[in-house]
Amino acid sequence: MTGYGKATCELPNKKINIEIKSLNSKQLDLNTRLPGVYREKDIEIRNIIGNSLVRGKVDVSIYVEAGSAEKNTKINAEVVKDYYAQLKTISTELGIDNSSELLRIAMTMPDTTKTEAATFDEDEWNLIADSLHVAIADIMEFRKREGEALELDIRNRITTISSLLEQVTEFEVERIERIKTRIHEHLEEIAQKNNIDENRFEQELIYYLEKLDVTEEKVRLSNHLVYFIETIENEDNNGKKLGFITQEIGREINTLGSKANDVNLQKIVI
């Protein structure tokens, strides 16, 4: 099911944004986008998501907001002091008094700054994990609302099919009589030219009408509709079962239409 969840984790020196997006899928297809410092927690993140979201193509993004660098740049004070002292000595020997420029020149020399990758902090991660659960709860609520809307629509459709199935019974008796009359009229035309065995005619008529009988399809369809509603009301994850029942409902309706041989029943099937 589709859904979206978001949470923000405010840390002392940075802000972490967490986004979870999901699209429809028959099973859980999880993709994560993580900063390098949190990559070692990828499996844990997948386990947390998998315990809550059973199905869907899910994208999980954790990123540090702009301005909160993942790497820290520091001045290498000892190196700068050494450069400055050397420049000061040279400046004195040459009789140049321009001390204010020496520091600027020293800072342009190699290795005056150093960049350190941010280190993993377990306490920091615990706060992020709490925010991850908040984002999961957000997307679960989103999916729940969508599911409730879909359930209402599906229930209405099942009710419509049940109502139409009741109409089949109303036309069925008339349908059989019309078919018998039509067959008899055709055979009477033939009888004028050939002698017909009445017993054989009755046998053939019964066989033909049995082929057109839709009682079995009606019973099966009715049972499938009841079973579908019962399955929806079960709290377990029954998506595959509902899909199978839906196929069976469609199969019985299709068979009903092919055996109808009556315009009123075919209209109901359509």
Side-chain angles (χ1 to χ4, degrees):
M1 297 177 66
T2 58
Y4 178 81
K6 184 177 181 180
T8 300
C9 180
E10 296 279 359
L11 299 174
N13 57 344
K14 55 188 170 183
K15 180 187 290 187
I16 307 293
N17 292 313
I18 302 171
E19 285 187 349
I20 306 176
K21 304 175 184 177
S22 72
L23 298 173
N24 291 328
S25 181
K26 291 184 178 180
Q27 58 267 334
L28 181 62
D29 181 10
L30 182 58
N31 180 50
T32 59
R33 296 183 182 87
L34 311 174
V37 67
Y38 305 124
R39 204 153 289 152
E40 65 182 80
K41 289 293 184 178
D42 183 72
I43 294 178
E44 182 176 338
I45 291 172
R46 290 177 180 273
N47 289 335
I48 293 173
I49 297 292
N51 290 334
S52 300
L53 306 180
V54 180
R55 298 173 60 188
K57 188 179 185 305
V58 181
D59 290 321
V60 182
S61 300
I62 299 179
Y63 56 91
V64 181
E65 190 170 297
S68 303
E70 188 178 339
K71 296 181 178 180
N72 299 319
T73 301
K74 296 182 179 180
I75 296 175
N76 196 334
E78 294 302 320
V79 173
V80 173
K81 289 178 183 179
D82 184 56
Y83 280 139
Y84 183 85
Q86 294 182 54
L87 289 170
K88 182 69 174 177
T89 300
I90 295 172
S91 176
T92 301
E93 291 177 354
L94 295 176
I96 301 173
D97 186 14
N98 194 6
S99 301
S100 61
E101 289 292 317
L102 297 181
L103 182 59
R104 185 184 64 79
I105 295 171
M107 290 299 301
T108 63
M109 304 298 284
D111 300 324
T112 54
T113 59
K114 57 183 178 180
T115 302
E116 298 177 348
T119 57
F120 181 80
D121 188 324
E122 192 68 40
D123 293 334
E124 181 181 282
W125 167 249
N126 290 334
L127 296 175
I128 296 173
D130 291 339
S131 296
L132 178 61
H133 284 288
V134 172
I136 292 173
D138 193 22
I139 192 174
M140 290 289 287
E141 180 61 27
F142 190 109
R143 286 163 59 129
K144 180 182 178 182
R145 291 196 300 270
E146 182 190 43
E148 289 172 347
L150 287 173
E151 180 183 355
L152 179 60
D153 180 72
I154 290 171
R155 283 179 178 272
N156 288 337
R157 293 177 186 272
I158 295 295
T159 300
T160 299
I161 294 173
S162 297
S163 176
L164 291 171
L165 182 57
E166 292 176 1
Q167 296 179 31
V168 170
T169 304
E170 298 174 9
F171 292 107
E172 194 169 7
V173 175
E174 297 178 4
R175 160 182 167 265
I176 295 298
E177 289 302 321
R178 280 197 299 269
I179 293 174
K180 289 172 66 175
T181 302
R182 189 164 64 244
I183 293 174
H184 202 277
E185 289 174 351
H186 290 323
L187 287 174
E188 282 183 347
E189 294 177 5
I190 299 172
Q192 294 175 2
K193 300 178 181 180
N194 303 285
N195 291 326
I196 296 178
D197 186 340
E198 289 294 331
N199 291 330
R200 181 60 183 271
F201 167 70
E202 292 293 337
Q203 292 175 4
E204 293 292 339
L205 183 60
I206 292 172
Y207 174 79
Y208 187 65
L209 292 177
E210 285 179 348
K211 286 292 184 181
L212 296 176
D213 183 55
V214 294
T215 302
E216 183 178 350
E217 285 71 27
K218 291 193 302 177
V219 171
R220 286 183 176 178
L221 179 56
S222 179
N223 289 336
H224 291 330
L225 296 176
V226 172
Y227 190 38
F228 190 96
I229 296 298
E230 290 176 353
T231 305
I232 274 186
E233 293 175 348
N234 194 315
E235 294 183 358
D236 295 335
N237 181 43
N238 292 316
K240 291 183 179 179
K241 182 183 290 187
L242 289 172
F244 174 77
I245 299 172
T246 301
Q247 289 179 353
E248 294 301 307
I249 290 173
R251 182 176 291 110
E252 298 302 333
I253 293 174
N254 184 60
T255 305
L256 190 78
S258 65
K259 294 176 69 174
N261 199 18
D262 180 84
V263 65
N264 292 317
L265 264 62
Q266 288 171 337
K267 285 181 179 179
I268 292 173
V269 168
I270 293 172

